Structures are given as C-alpha cells and as structure tokens.
Amino acid sequence: VQLVESGGGLVQAGGSLRLSCAASGFRLQDYAIAWFRQAPGKEQEGISCISSANNAKWYEDSMADRFIISSDQAKNTVDLQMNSLTLADTAVYHCARVRYGFCPAGWATGQSVDSWGQGTQVTVSS
C-alpha cells in the first residue's frame, strides 16, 4: 500500500492549489480516502473524506466552502482542490486510506486510517 501526495508548494493568499494523492497497491473502489493537514505547533485536523462505494463526500465545517475533494478511480487518484487560501492554510497535507469503503463517523480524528502518505507542504504567503 502506498499513497503519494503531490501538488503542494508556495502560493499567495487568495490563490488556489490542487493536491493529488496517487494510490498504489490497492483499488480506490475498495477504500475511502481522506485528506488531513498539520500546521506547525498545531494538532492534525481532518479536511475531507470521500467514500468508495457511492462517492459520498464529507468535509469538516470550516473547509466545506473552499475545498473540494474528488476521486478518479480509473487513475487511482484522489484530488483536493483548495481555493481562497489564507495564511492559516499553511501546513503539511496528507492523504490517508480509511480502512473501510465508507467514511465513518469520526473519520476526521484519523483513528479509522490504516495507511498514510508522506505529505506535501503547502505554504501560503501574504
């Protein structure tokens, strides 16, 4: 099982970035995928989760209006489109495989994750 994030980088406040998570060693049809982030000195927080069965999407409240998760099962990738970025969005972003095909209650805690990507740095400048 491997998850590799890409697309991070430096962006000005107000800009957009699209992160991609390439999955290998398993099929996206069988597992939900979630995105998390961790800023320096802060706890990890869940961003969004997408189920495999019906493409149901879940967002943490503060992310729903600016972030969009999508899945391409043919390519085995899950993307995270991030818009209207602010300094507070600076963090290392990780994608993760949920051990179920759906996003369970409490997915944002990370306790249902069984595999993590190494992360990609997103830095928002003023």
Side-chain angles (χ1 to χ4, degrees):
V1 174
Q2 190 173 23
L3 299 162
V4 179
E5 303 92 339
S6 62
L10 179 64
V11 62
Q12 283 195 325
S16 299
L17 275 178
R18 188 176 184 90
L19 305 183
S20 187
C21 173
S24 60
F26 68 99
R27 300 187 316 162
L28 283 184
Q29 291 94 318
D30 299 327
Y31 293 92
I33 299 292
W35 280 94
F36 296 82
R37 70 183 183 184
Q38 186 159 23
K42 294 188 176 181
E43 291 188 357
Q44 176 181 279
E45 60 179 334
I47 300 171
S48 184
C49 184
I50 185 166
S51 71
S52 62
N54 57 5
N55 252 16
K57 302 171 185 180
W58 301 88
Y59 297 91
E60 283 298 276
D61 288 344
S62 62
M63 316 287 183
D65 59 342
R66 297 185 299 121
F67 293 0
I68 302 169
I69 194 170
S70 61
S71 174
D72 186 333
Q73 292 187 351
K75 295 181 180 178
N76 235 36
T77 58
V78 175
D79 288 357
L80 184 70
Q81 176 68 38
M82 308 187 297
N83 302 317
S84 301
L85 290 165
T86 71
L87 298 181
D89 294 315
T90 294
V92 177
Y93 286 71
H94 298 267
C95 64
R97 191 181 81 169
V98 176
R99 62 173 59 90
Y100 313 109
F102 59 94
C103 301
W107 64 264
T109 66
Q111 291 182 350
S112 57
V113 167
D114 66 2
S115 185
W116 295 87
Q118 84 289 348
T120 186
Q121 176 70 47
V122 171
T123 303
V124 183
S125 64
S126 58

PDB file of all heavy atoms in Angstrom, residues 41-74:
ATOM      1  N   GLY A  41       3.101  23.247  15.249  1.00  0.00           N
ATOM      2  CA  GLY A  41       2.624  23.536  16.586  1.00  0.00           C
ATOM      3  C   GLY A  41       1.147  23.299  16.807  1.00  0.00           C
ATOM      4  O   GLY A  41       0.617  23.615  17.876  1.00  0.00           O
ATOM      5  N   LYS A  42       0.480  22.733  15.810  1.00  0.00           N
ATOM      6  CA  LYS A  42      -0.966  22.500  15.936  1.00  0.00           C
ATOM      7  C   LYS A  42      -1.265  21.025  15.778  1.00  0.00           C
ATOM      8  O   LYS A  42      -0.474  20.259  15.230  1.00  0.00           O
ATOM      9  CB  LYS A  42      -1.729  23.318  14.900  1.00  0.00           C
ATOM     10  CG  LYS A  42      -1.636  24.816  15.106  1.00  0.00           C
ATOM     11  CD  LYS A  42      -2.581  25.546  14.170  1.00  0.00           C
ATOM     12  CE  LYS A  42      -2.553  27.041  14.436  1.00  0.00           C
ATOM     13  NZ  LYS A  42      -3.490  27.772  13.537  1.00  0.00           N
ATOM     14  N   GLU A  43      -2.435  20.649  16.234  1.00  0.00           N
ATOM     15  CA  GLU A  43      -2.861  19.263  16.078  1.00  0.00           C
ATOM     16  C   GLU A  43      -3.268  18.985  14.636  1.00  0.00           C
ATOM     17  O   GLU A  43      -3.676  19.888  13.905  1.00  0.00           O
ATOM     18  CB  GLU A  43      -4.040  18.971  17.009  1.00  0.00           C
ATOM     19  CG  GLU A  43      -3.662  18.962  18.474  1.00  0.00           C
ATOM     20  CD  GLU A  43      -4.803  18.492  19.359  1.00  0.00           C
ATOM     21  OE1 GLU A  43      -5.900  18.231  18.820  1.00  0.00           O
ATOM     22  OE2 GLU A  43      -4.602  18.388  20.579  1.00  0.00           O
ATOM     23  N   GLN A  44      -3.164  17.739  14.291  1.00  0.00           N
ATOM     24  CA  GLN A  44      -3.639  17.316  12.973  1.00  0.00           C
ATOM     25  C   GLN A  44      -5.136  17.542  12.885  1.00  0.00           C
ATOM     26  O   GLN A  44      -5.869  17.345  13.863  1.00  0.00           O
ATOM     27  CB  GLN A  44      -3.340  15.836  12.804  1.00  0.00           C
ATOM     28  CG  GLN A  44      -3.860  15.226  11.517  1.00  0.00           C
ATOM     29  CD  GLN A  44      -3.527  13.762  11.465  1.00  0.00           C
ATOM     30  OE1 GLN A  44      -2.417  13.357  11.122  1.00  0.00           O
ATOM     31  NE2 GLN A  44      -4.485  12.940  11.842  1.00  0.00           N
ATOM     32  N   GLU A  45      -5.607  17.962  11.715  1.00  0.00           N
ATOM     33  CA  GLU A  45      -7.047  18.128  11.535  1.00  0.00           C
ATOM     34  C   GLU A  45      -7.506  17.498  10.228  1.00  0.00           C
ATOM     35  O   GLU A  45      -6.793  17.519   9.215  1.00  0.00           O
ATOM     36  CB  GLU A  45      -7.447  19.607  11.578  1.00  0.00           C
ATOM     37  CG  GLU A  45      -6.834  20.490  10.539  1.00  0.00           C
ATOM     38  CD  GLU A  45      -7.321  21.935  10.649  1.00  0.00           C
ATOM     39  OE1 GLU A  45      -8.436  22.172  11.151  1.00  0.00           O
ATOM     40  OE2 GLU A  45      -6.570  22.818  10.209  1.00  0.00           O
ATOM     41  N   GLY A  46      -8.675  16.924  10.276  1.00  0.00           N
ATOM     42  CA  GLY A  46      -9.255  16.332   9.077  1.00  0.00           C
ATOM     43  C   GLY A  46      -9.824  17.406   8.172  1.00  0.00           C
ATOM     44  O   GLY A  46     -10.325  18.428   8.647  1.00  0.00           O
ATOM     45  N   ILE A  47      -9.723  17.179   6.878  1.00  0.00           N
ATOM     46  CA  ILE A  47     -10.234  18.140   5.901  1.00  0.00           C
ATOM     47  C   ILE A  47     -11.461  17.581   5.197  1.00  0.00           C
ATOM     48  O   ILE A  47     -12.531  18.178   5.215  1.00  0.00           O
ATOM     49  CB  ILE A  47      -9.160  18.483   4.856  1.00  0.00           C
ATOM     50  CG1 ILE A  47      -7.934  19.086   5.515  1.00  0.00           C
ATOM     51  CG2 ILE A  47      -9.725  19.415   3.792  1.00  0.00           C
ATOM     52  CD1 ILE A  47      -6.746  19.247   4.578  1.00  0.00           C
ATOM     53  N   SER A  48     -11.284  16.431   4.577  1.00  0.00           N
ATOM     54  CA  SER A  48     -12.356  15.883   3.766  1.00  0.00           C
ATOM     55  C   SER A  48     -12.155  14.384   3.603  1.00  0.00           C
ATOM     56  O   SER A  48     -11.036  13.877   3.707  1.00  0.00           O
ATOM     57  CB  SER A  48     -12.369  16.556   2.388  1.00  0.00           C
ATOM     58  OG  SER A  48     -13.447  16.104   1.609  1.00  0.00           O
ATOM     59  N   CYS A  49     -13.258  13.694   3.340  1.00  0.00           N
ATOM     60  CA  CYS A  49     -13.218  12.255   3.130  1.00  0.00           C
ATOM     61  C   CYS A  49     -14.169  11.916   1.992  1.00  0.00           C
ATOM     62  O   CYS A  49     -15.256  12.501   1.898  1.00  0.00           O
ATOM     63  CB  CYS A  49     -13.618  11.525   4.406  1.00  0.00           C
ATOM     64  SG  CYS A  49     -13.518   9.725   4.325  1.00  0.00           S
ATOM     65  N   ILE A  50     -13.762  10.958   1.141  1.00  0.00           N
ATOM     66  CA  ILE A  50     -14.620  10.533   0.044  1.00  0.00           C
ATOM     67  C   ILE A  50     -14.740   9.023   0.102  1.00  0.00           C
ATOM     68  O   ILE A  50     -13.748   8.294   0.215  1.00  0.00           O
ATOM     69  CB  ILE A  50     -14.067  11.027  -1.315  1.00  0.00           C
ATOM     70  CG1 ILE A  50     -15.023  10.685  -2.454  1.00  0.00           C
ATOM     71  CG2 ILE A  50     -12.670  10.478  -1.590  1.00  0.00           C
ATOM     72  CD1 ILE A  50     -14.712  11.416  -3.752  1.00  0.00           C
ATOM     73  N   SER A  51     -15.972   8.543   0.034  1.00  0.00           N
ATOM     74  CA  SER A  51     -16.195   7.101   0.125  1.00  0.00           C
ATOM     75  C   SER A  51     -15.985   6.453  -1.231  1.00  0.00           C
ATOM     76  O   SER A  51     -16.074   7.107  -2.267  1.00  0.00           O
ATOM     77  CB  SER A  51     -17.607   6.816   0.633  1.00  0.00           C
ATOM     78  OG  SER A  51     -18.549   7.139  -0.369  1.00  0.00           O
ATOM     79  N   SER A  52     -15.744   5.166  -1.222  1.00  0.00           N
ATOM     80  CA  SER A  52     -15.506   4.460  -2.484  1.00  0.00           C
ATOM     81  C   SER A  52     -16.808   3.990  -3.116  1.00  0.00           C
ATOM     82  O   SER A  52     -16.944   3.962  -4.322  1.00  0.00           O
ATOM     83  CB  SER A  52     -14.586   3.264  -2.242  1.00  0.00           C
ATOM     84  OG  SER A  52     -15.197   2.346  -1.351  1.00  0.00           O
ATOM     85  N   ALA A  53     -17.764   3.624  -2.281  1.00  0.00           N
ATOM     86  CA  ALA A  53     -18.973   2.987  -2.782  1.00  0.00           C
ATOM     87  C   ALA A  53     -19.832   3.937  -3.606  1.00  0.00           C
ATOM     88  O   ALA A  53     -20.229   3.614  -4.724  1.00  0.00           O
ATOM     89  CB  ALA A  53     -19.767   2.419  -1.614  1.00  0.00           C
ATOM     90  N   ASN A  54     -20.124   5.094  -3.071  1.00  0.00           N
ATOM     91  CA  ASN A  54     -21.065   5.992  -3.742  1.00  0.00           C
ATOM     92  C   ASN A  54     -20.506   7.401  -3.922  1.00  0.00           C
ATOM     93  O   ASN A  54     -21.241   8.323  -4.245  1.00  0.00           O
ATOM     94  CB  ASN A  54     -22.367   6.067  -2.940  1.00  0.00           C
ATOM     95  CG  ASN A  54     -22.137   6.517  -1.519  1.00  0.00           C
ATOM     96  OD1 ASN A  54     -21.023   6.863  -1.147  1.00  0.00           O
ATOM     97  ND2 ASN A  54     -23.177   6.523  -0.702  1.00  0.00           N
ATOM     98  N   ASN A  55     -19.195   7.552  -3.729  1.00  0.00           N
ATOM     99  CA  ASN A  55     -18.552   8.856  -3.879  1.00  0.00           C
ATOM    100  C   ASN A  55     -19.106   9.913  -2.927  1.00  0.00           C
ATOM    101  O   ASN A  55     -19.002  11.116  -3.204  1.00  0.00           O
ATOM    102  CB  ASN A  55     -18.669   9.375  -5.318  1.00  0.00           C
ATOM    103  CG  ASN A  55     -17.332   9.317  -6.041  1.00  0.00           C
ATOM    104  OD1 ASN A  55     -16.405   8.662  -5.619  1.00  0.00           O
ATOM    105  ND2 ASN A  55     -17.248  10.036  -7.150  1.00  0.00           N
ATOM    106  N   ALA A  56     -19.710   9.488  -1.832  1.00  0.00           N
ATOM    107  CA  ALA A  56     -20.188  10.460  -0.852  1.00  0.00           C
ATOM    108  C   ALA A  56     -18.993  11.237  -0.304  1.00  0.00           C
ATOM    109  O   ALA A  56     -17.928  10.660  -0.061  1.00  0.00           O
ATOM    110  CB  ALA A  56     -20.910   9.750   0.287  1.00  0.00           C
ATOM    111  N   LYS A  57     -19.192  12.538  -0.111  1.00  0.00           N
ATOM    112  CA  LYS A  57     -18.101  13.400   0.316  1.00  0.00           C
ATOM    113  C   LYS A  57     -18.448  14.051   1.643  1.00  0.00           C
ATOM    114  O   LYS A  57     -19.583  14.471   1.865  1.00  0.00           O
ATOM    115  CB  LYS A  57     -17.845  14.477  -0.743  1.00  0.00           C
ATOM    116  CG  LYS A  57     -17.507  13.881  -2.099  1.00  0.00           C
ATOM    117  CD  LYS A  57     -17.472  14.941  -3.183  1.00  0.00           C
ATOM    118  CE  LYS A  57     -17.242  14.287  -4.549  1.00  0.00           C
ATOM    119  NZ  LYS A  57     -17.196  15.288  -5.642  1.00  0.00           N
ATOM    120  N   TRP A  58     -17.448  14.125   2.504  1.00  0.00           N
ATOM    121  CA  TRP A  58     -17.622  14.719   3.812  1.00  0.00           C
ATOM    122  C   TRP A  58     -16.537  15.776   4.007  1.00  0.00           C
ATOM    123  O   TRP A  58     -15.385  15.586   3.612  1.00  0.00           O
ATOM    124  CB  TRP A  58     -17.509  13.642   4.894  1.00  0.00           C
ATOM    125  CG  TRP A  58     -18.518  12.563   4.720  1.00  0.00           C
ATOM    126  CD1 TRP A  58     -18.390  11.432   3.980  1.00  0.00           C
ATOM    127  CD2 TRP A  58     -19.837  12.521   5.283  1.00  0.00           C
ATOM    128  NE1 TRP A  58     -19.534  10.681   4.044  1.00  0.00           N
ATOM    129  CE2 TRP A  58     -20.447  11.322   4.833  1.00  0.00           C
ATOM    130  CE3 TRP A  58     -20.550  13.371   6.117  1.00  0.00           C
ATOM    131  CZ2 TRP A  58     -21.740  10.965   5.209  1.00  0.00           C
ATOM    132  CZ3 TRP A  58     -21.827  13.003   6.486  1.00  0.00           C
ATOM    133  CH2 TRP A  58     -22.413  11.812   6.033  1.00  0.00           C
ATOM    134  N   TYR A  59     -16.938  16.867   4.627  1.00  0.00           N
ATOM    135  CA  TYR A  59     -15.988  17.943   4.896  1.00  0.00           C
ATOM    136  C   TYR A  59     -16.113  18.384   6.344  1.00  0.00           C
ATOM    137  O   TYR A  59     -17.215  18.420   6.904  1.00  0.00           O
ATOM    138  CB  TYR A  59     -16.282  19.156   4.004  1.00  0.00           C
ATOM    139  CG  TYR A  59     -16.121  18.914   2.522  1.00  0.00           C
ATOM    140  CD1 TYR A  59     -17.189  18.492   1.746  1.00  0.00           C
ATOM    141  CD2 TYR A  59     -14.896  19.118   1.899  1.00  0.00           C
ATOM    142  CE1 TYR A  59     -17.042  18.270   0.393  1.00  0.00           C
ATOM    143  CE2 TYR A  59     -14.740  18.903   0.536  1.00  0.00           C
ATOM    144  CZ  TYR A  59     -15.821  18.480  -0.206  1.00  0.00           C
ATOM    145  OH  TYR A  59     -15.670  18.262  -1.560  1.00  0.00           O
ATOM    146  N   GLU A  60     -14.997  18.736   6.926  1.00  0.00           N
ATOM    147  CA  GLU A  60     -15.058  19.438   8.200  1.00  0.00           C
ATOM    148  C   GLU A  60     -15.656  20.816   7.921  1.00  0.00           C
ATOM    149  O   GLU A  60     -15.444  21.410   6.867  1.00  0.00           O
ATOM    150  CB  GLU A  60     -13.661  19.558   8.812  1.00  0.00           C
ATOM    151  CG  GLU A  60     -13.190  18.269   9.445  1.00  0.00           C
ATOM    152  CD  GLU A  60     -14.073  17.841  10.601  1.00  0.00           C
ATOM    153  OE1 GLU A  60     -13.891  18.313  11.732  1.00  0.00           O
ATOM    154  OE2 GLU A  60     -14.971  16.992  10.343  1.00  0.00           O
ATOM    155  N   ASP A  61     -16.410  21.316   8.915  1.00  0.00           N
ATOM    156  CA  ASP A  61     -17.216  22.508   8.689  1.00  0.00           C
ATOM    157  C   ASP A  61     -16.434  23.670   8.109  1.00  0.00           C
ATOM    158  O   ASP A  61     -16.901  24.363   7.215  1.00  0.00           O
ATOM    159  CB  ASP A  61     -17.885  22.929  10.002  1.00  0.00           C
ATOM    160  CG  ASP A  61     -18.991  21.962  10.388  1.00  0.00           C
ATOM    161  OD1 ASP A  61     -19.414  21.181   9.519  1.00  0.00           O
ATOM    162  OD2 ASP A  61     -19.414  21.983  11.553  1.00  0.00           O
ATOM    163  N   SER A  62     -15.262  23.894   8.603  1.00  0.00           N
ATOM    164  CA  SER A  62     -14.515  25.091   8.199  1.00  0.00           C
ATOM    165  C   SER A  62     -13.926  24.969   6.803  1.00  0.00           C
ATOM    166  O   SER A  62     -13.427  25.938   6.254  1.00  0.00           O
ATOM    167  CB  SER A  62     -13.403  25.362   9.213  1.00  0.00           C
ATOM    168  OG  SER A  62     -12.491  24.281   9.230  1.00  0.00           O
ATOM    169  N   MET A  63     -13.982  23.770   6.219  1.00  0.00           N
ATOM    170  CA  MET A  63     -13.343  23.540   4.921  1.00  0.00           C
ATOM    171  C   MET A  63     -14.349  23.476   3.771  1.00  0.00           C
ATOM    172  O   MET A  63     -13.981  23.589   2.617  1.00  0.00           O
ATOM    173  CB  MET A  63     -12.587  22.200   4.946  1.00  0.00           C
ATOM    174  CG  MET A  63     -11.781  21.949   6.179  1.00  0.00           C
ATOM    175  SD  MET A  63     -10.301  22.951   6.246  1.00  0.00           S
ATOM    176  CE  MET A  63      -9.576  22.319   7.761  1.00  0.00           C
ATOM    177  N   ALA A  64     -15.607  23.269   4.103  1.00  0.00           N
ATOM    178  CA  ALA A  64     -16.574  22.909   3.078  1.00  0.00           C
ATOM    179  C   ALA A  64     -16.753  23.967   1.997  1.00  0.00           C
ATOM    180  O   ALA A  64     -17.068  23.643   0.857  1.00  0.00           O
ATOM    181  CB  ALA A  64     -17.918  22.607   3.728  1.00  0.00           C
ATOM    182  N   ASP A  65     -16.553  25.218   2.332  1.00  0.00           N
ATOM    183  CA  ASP A  65     -16.833  26.257   1.339  1.00  0.00           C
ATOM    184  C   ASP A  65     -15.648  26.568   0.445  1.00  0.00           C
ATOM    185  O   ASP A  65     -15.798  27.277  -0.552  1.00  0.00           O
ATOM    186  CB  ASP A  65     -17.303  27.538   2.041  1.00  0.00           C
ATOM    187  CG  ASP A  65     -16.273  28.070   3.028  1.00  0.00           C
ATOM    188  OD1 ASP A  65     -15.379  27.292   3.418  1.00  0.00           O
ATOM    189  OD2 ASP A  65     -16.383  29.248   3.414  1.00  0.00           O
ATOM    190  N   ARG A  66     -14.463  26.034   0.768  1.00  0.00           N
ATOM    191  CA  ARG A  66     -13.287  26.375  -0.036  1.00  0.00           C
ATOM    192  C   ARG A  66     -12.576  25.164  -0.627  1.00  0.00           C
ATOM    193  O   ARG A  66     -11.804  25.313  -1.578  1.00  0.00           O
ATOM    194  CB  ARG A  66     -12.282  27.159   0.828  1.00  0.00           C
ATOM    195  CG  ARG A  66     -12.799  28.480   1.331  1.00  0.00           C
ATOM    196  CD  ARG A  66     -11.716  29.255   2.058  1.00  0.00           C
ATOM    197  NE  ARG A  66     -11.220  28.531   3.233  1.00  0.00           N
ATOM    198  CZ  ARG A  66      -9.948  28.167   3.399  1.00  0.00           C
ATOM    199  NH1 ARG A  66      -9.048  28.432   2.474  1.00  0.00           N
ATOM    200  NH2 ARG A  66      -9.578  27.526   4.503  1.00  0.00           N
ATOM    201  N   PHE A  67     -12.777  23.981  -0.060  1.00  0.00           N
ATOM    202  CA  PHE A  67     -12.063  22.784  -0.510  1.00  0.00           C
ATOM    203  C   PHE A  67     -13.027  21.820  -1.190  1.00  0.00           C
ATOM    204  O   PHE A  67     -14.172  21.677  -0.756  1.00  0.00           O
ATOM    205  CB  PHE A  67     -11.397  22.086   0.681  1.00  0.00           C
ATOM    206  CG  PHE A  67     -10.270  22.868   1.319  1.00  0.00           C
ATOM    207  CD1 PHE A  67      -9.881  24.112   0.856  1.00  0.00           C
ATOM    208  CD2 PHE A  67      -9.581  22.331   2.389  1.00  0.00           C
ATOM    209  CE1 PHE A  67      -8.851  24.810   1.443  1.00  0.00           C
ATOM    210  CE2 PHE A  67      -8.543  23.019   2.989  1.00  0.00           C
ATOM    211  CZ  PHE A  67      -8.175  24.261   2.521  1.00  0.00           C
ATOM    212  N   ILE A  68     -12.535  21.166  -2.240  1.00  0.00           N
ATOM    213  CA  ILE A  68     -13.346  20.207  -2.969  1.00  0.00           C
ATOM    214  C   ILE A  68     -12.538  18.929  -3.171  1.00  0.00           C
ATOM    215  O   ILE A  68     -11.439  18.967  -3.733  1.00  0.00           O
ATOM    216  CB  ILE A  68     -13.775  20.757  -4.352  1.00  0.00           C
ATOM    217  CG1 ILE A  68     -14.543  22.067  -4.180  1.00  0.00           C
ATOM    218  CG2 ILE A  68     -14.619  19.728  -5.090  1.00  0.00           C
ATOM    219  CD1 ILE A  68     -14.771  22.797  -5.495  1.00  0.00           C
ATOM    220  N   ILE A  69     -13.099  17.813  -2.739  1.00  0.00           N
ATOM    221  CA  ILE A  69     -12.438  16.519  -2.919  1.00  0.00           C
ATOM    222  C   ILE A  69     -13.063  15.809  -4.107  1.00  0.00           C
ATOM    223  O   ILE A  69     -14.262  15.931  -4.363  1.00  0.00           O
ATOM    224  CB  ILE A  69     -12.540  15.659  -1.638  1.00  0.00           C
ATOM    225  CG1 ILE A  69     -11.583  14.472  -1.691  1.00  0.00           C
ATOM    226  CG2 ILE A  69     -13.978  15.199  -1.397  1.00  0.00           C
ATOM    227  CD1 ILE A  69     -11.459  13.732  -0.347  1.00  0.00           C
ATOM    228  N   SER A  70     -12.226  15.095  -4.856  1.00  0.00           N
ATOM    229  CA  SER A  70     -12.730  14.335  -5.994  1.00  0.00           C
ATOM    230  C   SER A  70     -11.880  13.082  -6.172  1.00  0.00           C
ATOM    231  O   SER A  70     -10.729  13.033  -5.744  1.00  0.00           O
ATOM    232  CB  SER A  70     -12.710  15.177  -7.274  1.00  0.00           C
ATOM    233  OG  SER A  70     -11.387  15.587  -7.590  1.00  0.00           O
ATOM    234  N   SER A  71     -12.465  12.102  -6.817  1.00  0.00           N
ATOM    235  CA  SER A  71     -11.796  10.819  -6.991  1.00  0.00           C
ATOM    236  C   SER A  71     -11.850  10.400  -8.444  1.00  0.00           C
ATOM    237  O   SER A  71     -12.873  10.577  -9.109  1.00  0.00           O
ATOM    238  CB  SER A  71     -12.481   9.763  -6.112  1.00  0.00           C
ATOM    239  OG  SER A  71     -11.958   8.477  -6.361  1.00  0.00           O
ATOM    240  N   ASP A  72     -10.759   9.866  -8.943  1.00  0.00           N
ATOM    241  CA  ASP A  72     -10.716   9.291 -10.288  1.00  0.00           C
ATOM    242  C   ASP A  72     -10.270   7.841 -10.126  1.00  0.00           C
ATOM    243  O   ASP A  72      -9.078   7.554 -10.016  1.00  0.00           O
ATOM    244  CB  ASP A  72      -9.735  10.070 -11.167  1.00  0.00           C
ATOM    245  CG  ASP A  72      -9.765   9.611 -12.619  1.00  0.00           C
ATOM    246  OD1 ASP A  72     -10.112   8.427 -12.871  1.00  0.00           O
ATOM    247  OD2 ASP A  72      -9.431  10.409 -13.500  1.00  0.00           O
ATOM    248  N   GLN A  73     -11.240   6.942 -10.098  1.00  0.00           N
ATOM    249  CA  GLN A  73     -10.906   5.553  -9.818  1.00  0.00           C
ATOM    250  C   GLN A  73     -10.134   4.910 -10.966  1.00  0.00           C
ATOM    251  O   GLN A  73      -9.381   3.974 -10.749  1.00  0.00           O
ATOM    252  CB  GLN A  73     -12.171   4.770  -9.482  1.00  0.00           C
ATOM    253  CG  GLN A  73     -12.785   5.207  -8.165  1.00  0.00           C
ATOM    254  CD  GLN A  73     -13.948   4.345  -7.720  1.00  0.00           C
ATOM    255  OE1 GLN A  73     -14.429   3.488  -8.461  1.00  0.00           O
ATOM    256  NE2 GLN A  73     -14.423   4.567  -6.497  1.00  0.00           N
ATOM    257  N   ALA A  74     -10.309   5.406 -12.168  1.00  0.00           N
ATOM    258  CA  ALA A  74      -9.556   4.875 -13.307  1.00  0.00           C
ATOM    259  C   ALA A  74      -8.062   5.164 -13.149  1.00  0.00           C
ATOM    260  O   ALA A  74      -7.218   4.341 -13.503  1.00  0.00           O
ATOM    261  CB  ALA A  74     -10.076   5.468 -14.604  1.00  0.00           C
TER     262      ALA A  74
END
